Amino acid sequence: MVVASPNPIRNEKIQVFDLPVIDLSAPRSVVSKLIVKACEDYGFFKVINHGIPEEVISRMEGESLAFFSKTVSEKQRAGPANPFGYGCKNIGHNGDMGEVEYLLFNTDKPSIAQRSKTISNEPTKFSAAVSDYIEAVSDLACELLEGIAEGLWVPDTSVFSRLIRDVESDSVFRLNYYPPTSSSPTSKVGFGEHTDPQILTLLRSNDVGGLQISPQDGVWVPVPSDPAAFWVNVGDVLQAMTNERFVSVKHRALTNSFKSRMSMAYFAGPPLNASMRALPEMVTPEHPLIYKAFTWAEYKKTTYSLRLSDSRLNLFRIS
Ligand code: GA4
């Protein structure tokens, strides 16, 4: 921990410290141990040397910027987000708001191709950029999940990645655009505090900061921007499957006064009918089972019935 300063939003404590950075070109056994440690300590880490071609990322970013630069009425052709499509300020359906515009996709190719027609004048180009990006990040998510299983000494090393590789995997892709806040206060909440419901999230942003994580109640840690890297966070399902050995990290995004922030998030999710339960290796007399088994469909339904900052996993606690 280096500095503590007041938060522009409320009187919360801002702590600046180094978050884990994992170099994926290091030997596999080293990487898997470091990932497990980061997931236990923060539920959050950065990966570098991840192998995703720069061109795949820049093509996606270019398409994203082209869309968000359009006129309001052009963008609205791709909305409203229910839950997929273009959204502006409204997040979910229960009254959450933020200074953000976004596009939400489900990740199968036919849906992407269909939706691209409402988004771009060159839908084939747009849809190829999205599909190529999703293919690359889902491979990276699987590699990380296999590393996690190895680091946890789980004999079935594809126990998590299988859920993502499944053709029925219910993953989501999101493009966010946070316009600069020109008036006072200089920082506003772009996307309010929440945990991600899925298994694992891979986030990449342009060179503008704004993301913060909360490793502890009332404490916020700014996440420095690094366009060449991905930030990875543990989702609720992975917290439940590891019987809370890993934590689903609370995070939020703030706007800033000078430059727009763009981010792309891939939420790796299981198939709707998959049953989520703690791995037997994670349940011991010292660590008894914490959550009931649930299908992803049940969990997702609960998620969408609640507000952004509500704790959904608590509703699945055994006692
Ligand atoms: C948070 C993580 C993902 O962005 C998301 C979000 C979803 C949405 O924007 O439609 C939710 C939110 C997220 C959790 C609670 C509900 C659903 C908005 C909201 C208020 C796409 C997701 O899967 O859950």
Side-chain angles (χ1 to χ4, degrees), residues 226-302:
D226 182 351
F230 283 86
W231 288 100
V232 181
N233 69 264
V234 168
D236 297 348
V237 167
L238 196 53
Q239 175 169 327
M241 289 183 87
T242 55
N243 205 28
E244 269 187 15
R245 188 154 156 193
F246 292 177
V247 283
S248 175
V249 67
K250 216 195 282 172
H251 55 285
R252 67 182 180 190
L254 306 183
T255 63
N256 73 61
S257 55
F258 61 96
K259 208 174 161 192
S260 47
R261 175 165 186 265
M262 295 211 335
S263 68
M264 332 177 182
Y266 169 75
F267 304 92
L272 286 170
N273 62 6
S275 178
M276 305 290 106
R277 59 182 75 234
L279 302 184
E281 297 82 358
M282 303 290 114
V283 183
T284 61
E286 299 78 55
H287 299 282
L289 185 65
I290 298 173
Y291 302 104
K292 301 176 227 177
F294 51 82
T295 63
W296 171 240
E298 283 171 312
Y299 196 72
K300 197 173 160 181
K301 193 168 162 214
T302 305

Side-chain angles (χ1 to χ4, degrees), residues 81 83-84 90-96 102 104 172-174 176 191 194-198 201 251 265 267 296 300 302-310 312:
F84 300 110
N90 291 304
I91 299 169
H93 309 290
N94 298 317
D96 288 291
Y102 61 87
L104 262 174
V172 180
F173 178 54
R174 165 169 224 133
N176 289 319
F191 206 106
H194 66 286
T195 61
D196 290 343
Q198 293 83 357
T201 305
H251 55 285
F267 304 92
W296 171 240
K300 197 173 160 181
T302 305
T303 293
Y304 275 92
S305 71
L306 298 171
R307 299 287 298 259
L308 198 52
S309 64
D310 288 338
R312 321 146 204 134

Side-chain angles (χ1 to χ4, degrees), residues 9-20:
I9 297 287
R10 270 173 257 143
N11 253 349
E12 290 156 339
K13 208 193 291 170
I14 292 279
Q15 286 192 356
V16 180
F17 58 77
D18 294 337
L19 292 161

Side-chain angles (χ1 to χ4, degrees), residues 2-317:
V2 187
V3 193
S5 62
N7 186 333
I9 297 287
R10 270 173 257 143
N11 253 349
E12 290 156 339
K13 208 193 291 170
I14 292 279
Q15 286 192 356
V16 180
F17 58 77
D18 294 337
L19 292 161
V21 179
I22 300 176
D23 181 348
L24 295 185
S25 64
R28 204 179 161 85
S29 58
V30 175
V31 168
S32 57
K33 281 196 194 100
L34 291 174
I35 298 180
V36 166
K37 174 99 176 64
C39 290
E40 288 172 338
D41 293 350
Y42 298 100
F44 193 75
F45 57 96
K46 168 165 133 173
V47 290
I48 57 169
N49 293 321
H50 45 69
I52 296 191
E54 223 287 293
E55 169 270 333
V56 170
I57 298 170
S58 58
R59 207 153 33 96
M60 185 66 265
E61 188 168 64
E63 292 292 337
S64 179
L65 184 59
F67 173 77
F68 290 114
S69 309
K70 287 184 168 199
T71 62
V72 175
S73 63
E74 278 175 316
K75 287 186 275 196
Q76 276 169 345
R77 282 186 55 219
N82 59 4
F84 300 110
Y86 170 71
C88 177
K89 296 195 175 169
N90 291 304
I91 299 169
H93 309 290
N94 298 317
D96 288 291
M97 306 275 289
E99 294 301 313
V100 64
E101 291 181 50
Y102 61 87
L103 276 170
L104 262 174
F105 303 83
N106 51 15
T107 55
D108 64 288
K109 281 196 177 162
S111 315
I112 295 168
Q114 192 57 33
R115 193 159 297 284
S116 298
K117 293 182 192 160
T118 64
I119 294 174
S120 171
N121 306 333
E122 290 178 279
T124 318
K125 199 167 145 247
F126 185 89
S127 131
V130 176
S131 300
D132 291 351
Y133 184 87
I134 289 175
E135 199 176 310
V137 282
S138 72
D139 281 348
L140 177 58
C142 289
E143 183 187 328
L144 296 170
L145 288 168
E146 281 157 18
I148 286 174
E150 279 171 38
L152 287 172
W153 293 99
V154 174
D156 177 3
T157 53
S158 43
V159 66
F160 306 117
S161 61
R162 204 169 33 238
L163 297 165
I164 312 307
R165 291 201 209 278
D166 194 306
V167 281
E168 306 269 294
S169 141
D170 185 40
S171 298
V172 180
F173 178 54
R174 165 169 224 133
L175 295 170
N176 289 319
Y177 177 82
Y178 300 96
T181 325
S182 41
S183 57
S184 178
T186 47
S187 247
K188 287 190 179 165
V189 176
F191 206 106
E193 65 177 81
H194 66 286
T195 61
D196 290 343
Q198 293 83 357
I199 300 176
L200 204 70
T201 305
L202 267 59
L203 181 102
R204 186 269 175 195
S205 75
N206 64 351
D207 57 352
V208 179
L211 181 65
Q212 298 186 331
I213 65 161
S214 174
Q216 231 171 289
D217 277 350
V219 173
W220 288 96
V221 179
V223 176
S225 65
D226 182 351
F230 283 86
W231 288 100
V232 181
N233 69 264
V234 168
D236 297 348
V237 167
L238 196 53
Q239 175 169 327
M241 289 183 87
T242 55
N243 205 28
E244 269 187 15
R245 188 154 156 193
F246 292 177
V247 283
S248 175
V249 67
K250 216 195 282 172
H251 55 285
R252 67 182 180 190
L254 306 183
T255 63
N256 73 61
S257 55
F258 61 96
K259 208 174 161 192
S260 47
R261 175 165 186 265
M262 295 211 335
S263 68
M264 332 177 182
Y266 169 75
F267 304 92
L272 286 170
N273 62 6
S275 178
M276 305 290 106
R277 59 182 75 234
L279 302 184
E281 297 82 358
M282 303 290 114
V283 183
T284 61
E286 299 78 55
H287 299 282
L289 185 65
I290 298 173
Y291 302 104
K292 301 176 227 177
F294 51 82
T295 63
W296 171 240
E298 283 171 312
Y299 196 72
K300 197 173 160 181
K301 193 168 162 214
T302 305
T303 293
Y304 275 92
S305 71
L306 298 171
R307 299 287 298 259
L308 198 52
S309 64
D310 288 338
S311 161
R312 321 146 204 134
L313 257 187
N314 272 342
L315 302 175
F316 293 83
R317 277 186 186 269

